[in-house]
Amino acid sequence: MKEIEFTARVWPLRDRMFRYAQSLLLSPAEAEDAVHDLLERLWRDRERLSPSRSIDSFVMASVRNRCYDLLRKRMADGRRNEAAVLLGDRSSPGEAERWEVRELVRRAMSCLPERQREALHLKDIEGYPTVEIAALLGCDEAQVRVILSRARHTIRGILEKMMSDERTRRTE
């Protein structure tokens, strides 16, 4: 793959790569490092990338593999999986409410099993079709639909519990 093609096909994926890495690692700093390292590696090996191949799927699979490597290293180091909280601008009341909802969803998604969180992120946040998610996860489309259904059901239950707990806390 030539430099111009790499710049046109891989570089625009960096925001998507970051969001995906962050959903797996639950840490913006680690996700940024992982994406940077991966982009650097892809750049060095760009001549070996096939232009006819689905670069989008290849890059996202590479992100997943890099994140799994980092998670295995984190487990080997004995560190806990702690999510970093991004504090956005919460100055206006509407923005504060939207931030709270985003934070609730983020926390609910972090409670999901890894495979469900990954599938849900790819489908509902990144907008990948089911067939590509199946290829990334190494299963068939029917299994992806089951994983997504279970993830959405679980998230719904977690959010209902969180909202109920929040209402209880506010009335006390």
Side-chain angles (χ1 to χ4, degrees):
M1 178 179 288
K2 302 287 184 215
E3 181 179 336
I4 292 172
E5 189 175 8
F6 181 90
T7 304
R9 293 183 68 191
V10 176
W11 192 250
L13 298 173
R14 67 187 186 281
D15 288 338
R16 183 180 283 185
M17 293 166 67
F18 172 75
R19 289 189 306 267
Y20 186 36
Q22 186 176 359
S23 77
L24 295 172
L25 297 172
L26 301 177
S27 167
E30 285 184 348
E32 191 173 318
D33 289 344
V35 169
H36 177 76
D37 292 345
L38 184 58
L39 283 170
E40 193 175 302
R41 182 177 296 153
L42 289 169
W43 175 256
R44 281 193 311 265
D45 296 338
R46 70 185 178 280
E47 294 299 325
R48 294 189 340 198
L49 293 175
S50 170
S52 62
R53 182 180 207 169
S54 173
I55 296 297
D56 192 38
S57 294
F58 175 76
V59 167
M60 296 308 276
S62 298
V63 170
R64 185 192 67 223
N65 293 339
R66 177 70 180 137
C67 290
Y68 284 176
D69 289 345
L70 291 171
L71 289 169
R72 278 191 290 273
K73 183 179 184 312
R74 185 189 295 173
M75 295 301 278
D77 291 346
R79 289 187 286 156
R80 292 209 171 116
N81 187 9
E82 297 175 4
V85 177
L86 293 173
L87 298 174
D89 176 24
R90 297 183 281 169
S91 53
S92 69
E95 180 61 28
E97 187 173 310
R98 282 191 298 277
W99 185 87
E100 286 178 20
V101 170
R102 281 193 305 263
E103 181 62 17
L104 280 175
V105 171
R106 187 198 62 76
R107 284 193 334 207
M109 282 187 71
S110 71
C111 294
L112 289 174
E114 189 172 318
R115 193 167 174 94
Q116 288 180 10
R117 184 175 65 241
E118 184 176 0
L120 191 64
H121 178 86
L122 289 171
K123 182 69 173 176
D124 292 344
I125 295 174
E126 299 299 334
Y128 275 82
T130 308
V131 66
E132 285 189 36
I133 296 170
L136 283 168
L137 297 180
C139 59
D140 60 26
E141 288 182 69
Q143 185 63 31
V144 170
R145 286 191 290 276
V146 169
I147 291 169
L148 288 169
S149 175
R150 289 179 180 163
R152 289 178 181 132
H153 181 266
T154 303
I155 271 221
R156 200 173 298 120
I158 291 169
L159 287 173
E160 286 172 359
K161 182 174 179 351
M162 286 176 159
M163 301 286 266
S164 172
D165 292 349
E166 183 67 23
R167 273 186 245 124
T168 304
R169 188 181 61 80
R170 286 184 181 172
T171 58
E172 291 177 346

